[in-house]
Amino acid sequence: WNLHLRCYEILAEDEGLLRCNRLEQACLAAVYEMEDVGMAVDVGRLHLGLRQHEELLMQHRLALRQMLGFEVNPLSHEQVTSLLFEALGLLRPEPGDRSVRWSHRTGKLELDAELLRSFKHPVADLVVAFRDLDKTRGVLEGLLTRQRDGVLHPSLLQHGARTGRLACRDPNLQNLPRGSDVREALVHHPGRTMYLADWSQVEFRVFAHYANDARLLEAYRTSSQTDFHQWIADLVSIERTLAKTLNFAMLYGAGARKIALILGRTYEEARVIRDRYDAELPSVWRLRKRVEQTVRARGYVRTWGGRRLYGERGREYKSLNHLVQGSAADLAKASLPRVQQALRPHGGRLLLTVHDEVLFDLPGEPGQRHAAALRDIRTALTEGYDLRVPLLVEVSRAAPSWERKVSCD
């Protein structure tokens, strides 16, 4: 009890933390409902997918052996390292090269999918494919183990992620591979219809809120459906696909060398693109510098919901991403009690939240009653969040699974 009182004394001294605590308390009932209701799963589909993936893994292992003339374990870091840089003679990144990832624990080069694909070698591509298949196989096996009578009841952790996002475990339904048998196996509960409400580009809307750029805000005021990536593409005179990649790179504080690697351009080309970005959007450059200075001065950045996200000395360039992701996480949590309240009159239930997406269901088949409920859900997800830009939500219906869905817009 004394500890409880002391915690509230600390909260009372910081209005931001007090606001964050209220936010966390408000979504407790929604978290409990999602854990209790759970996600329905097609067990037969899981078994079929598991068998298919085991067969594909055998085929990929055989193809790798035929290609090389010897056996190699694609999951072994040591064997794959030796294969790529010694047997195949591919160029090994120099120690300290910031364009690739290095293990903080061991100091070894991390052979992630991005690096392996960059080699543009059939063996490296086959290793990536094998690892993807093995990951999906493990997920399918885990879901089969965890399901009870065709329902998965994950644990949702309010403080399981650094940014404040709800984390999910036992099983983790927030990190399921898309376009696979896994999401295909997550289906409607009997007698109910599952829907998905997804905020459109919410992180970049938060980004725009904090950047407070007059032209960008005007674009959002003119149309709530403004595509941030296309807007940047037009502004910087590049293709939308490149603009999207560039936007994420800028959000993560990437320098010109990293941008060059990501975009597949020369260092000079990447520097010109980045300089043009900063020149056209000086408010973004100022925001990035202001956030970095704030973290250097007090050690943390404060999110939309009042949460403190502490920075890492020497890595202050990541702080803008922390601010945006943390604020998006706060918005997602703030939306849960609103959505739950909007669902109640319609007999609806929360099922799961995955970052910017909320899954829920309604009794019976789609019809006029469902249409009224969906209008209330849209209102709950778009109004009253005190942002400089409007939020946009896209609603779809599982048809019949999480993987296959049809738009309700």
Side-chain angles (χ1 to χ4, degrees):
W1 176 248
N2 288 334
L3 179 61
H4 180 78
L5 288 177
R6 179 55 188 147
C7 286
Y8 267 95
E9 287 174 2
I10 294 173
L11 290 175
E13 294 169 0
D14 188 319
E15 178 59 34
L17 291 181
L18 191 60
R19 190 167 73 252
C20 180
N21 181 64
R22 293 191 188 112
L23 178 69
E24 297 291 349
Q25 294 282 349
C27 68
L28 278 171
V31 169
Y32 173 77
E33 180 172 271
M34 290 185 285
E35 291 180 336
D36 183 55
V37 175
M39 290 287 291
V41 63
D42 184 338
V43 178
R45 185 87 190 190
L46 289 180
H47 279 294
L48 176 62
L50 183 59
R51 288 197 300 270
Q52 290 173 338
H53 277 74
E54 287 173 343
E55 291 171 4
L56 286 170
L57 284 167
M58 290 178 61
Q59 293 171 14
H60 278 64
R61 193 181 288 273
L62 178 61
L64 198 57
R65 186 170 62 204
Q66 291 174 339
M67 191 180 292
L68 296 170
F70 56 87
E71 189 79 33
V72 65
N73 180 5
L75 303 179
S76 167
H77 182 278
E78 288 73 17
Q79 290 185 36
V80 173
T81 299
S82 176
L83 169 67
L84 296 176
F85 304 126
E86 296 175 18
L88 298 179
L90 298 179
L91 184 64
R92 184 196 295 263
E94 294 294 328
D97 184 347
R98 292 186 63 179
S99 68
V100 295
R101 295 185 179 91
W102 302 86
S103 170
H104 292 300
R105 186 173 58 86
T106 65
K108 293 181 180 179
L109 176 67
E110 292 190 1
L111 298 176
D112 55 22
E114 181 182 348
L115 176 61
L116 290 171
R117 290 193 183 99
S118 72
F119 292 128
K120 301 186 185 306
H121 193 285
V123 170
D125 292 342
L126 201 54
V127 169
V128 172
F130 185 95
R131 290 179 173 182
D132 287 344
L133 285 168
D134 186 71
K135 180 181 178 181
T136 303
R137 180 207 60 78
V139 172
L140 289 164
E141 192 173 61
L143 295 185
L144 277 168
T145 303
R146 294 286 181 183
Q147 64 85 23
R148 292 292 180 269
D149 299 322
V151 180
L152 295 162
H153 295 279
S155 296
L156 295 169
L157 310 177
Q158 288 181 250
H159 301 288
R162 186 179 185 277
T163 58
R165 287 193 185 277
L166 275 173
C168 183
R169 72 179 186 191
D170 303 329
N172 181 2
L173 299 180
Q174 294 182 333
N175 195 30
L176 300 180
R178 294 179 181 273
S180 69
D181 291 309
V182 180
R183 287 178 176 240
E184 192 71 53
L186 295 171
V187 295
H188 306 281
H189 282 271
R192 304 182 72 87
T193 302
M194 178 166 65
Y195 290 92
L196 306 90
D198 188 11
W199 269 329
S200 175
Q201 300 182 349
V202 66
E203 289 187 356
F204 288 102
R205 289 171 188 264
V206 170
F207 187 27
H209 165 77
Y210 281 111
N212 199 18
D213 181 84
R215 286 180 299 171
L216 184 53
L217 294 183
E218 181 59 30
Y220 275 117
R221 290 191 188 105
T222 303
S223 172
S224 63
Q225 298 190 19
T226 293
D227 180 343
F228 184 87
H229 304 308
Q230 186 61 56
W231 191 84
I232 292 293
D234 295 340
L235 193 67
V236 187
S237 301
I238 56 176
E239 297 174 6
R240 184 187 182 281
T241 52
L242 291 180
K244 182 176 180 180
T245 304
L246 177 63
N247 286 331
F248 279 105
M250 297 297 279
L251 195 57
Y252 281 86
R257 293 191 186 280
K258 183 67 174 179
I259 291 172
L261 179 67
I262 295 171
L263 297 182
R265 301 291 185 94
T266 66
Y267 169 76
E268 187 60 31
E269 288 173 331
R271 189 182 62 78
V272 169
I273 291 172
R274 175 169 176 152
D275 288 348
R276 195 187 311 154
Y277 191 109
D278 287 340
E280 292 290 347
L281 282 170
S283 56
V284 171
W285 182 87
R286 288 193 295 269
L287 170 65
R288 188 165 60 243
K289 293 303 178 184
R290 187 168 68 249
V291 170
E292 290 176 9
Q293 290 169 3
T294 298
V295 172
R296 288 192 188 98
R298 68 184 187 189
Y300 64 87
V301 63
R302 194 182 292 282
T303 66
W304 176 86
R307 192 182 312 276
R308 291 183 183 183
L309 292 182
Y310 286 86
E312 185 179 346
R313 188 174 296 278
R315 293 178 179 267
E316 290 84 1
Y317 63 90
K318 293 184 176 183
S319 300
L320 176 57
N321 181 50
H322 295 163
L323 172 65
V324 171
Q325 283 205 12
S327 296
D330 291 343
L331 288 167
K333 283 183 172 177
S335 74
L336 290 177
R338 301 182 188 201
V339 172
Q340 187 181 38
Q341 187 174 5
L343 284 169
R344 276 187 185 135
H346 307 282
R349 308 177 304 184
L350 282 167
L351 301 177
L352 185 67
T353 177
V354 182
H355 307 319
D356 310 328
E357 190 175 44
V358 178
L359 285 71
F360 59 94
D361 69 6
L362 294 165
E365 299 294 325
Q368 288 301 315
R369 290 183 61 189
H370 283 202
L374 298 185
R375 283 195 295 272
D376 291 346
I377 296 302
R378 285 191 180 91
T379 300
L381 285 167
T382 57
E383 296 182 7
Y385 290 93
D386 192 26
L387 293 177
R388 295 188 181 95
V389 298
L391 292 171
L392 178 67
V393 67
E394 298 166 353
V395 181
S396 55
R397 173 172 53 85
S401 66
W402 188 358
E403 180 63 30
R404 285 190 289 166
K405 52 193 179 184
V406 295
S407 175
C408 297
D409 295 327

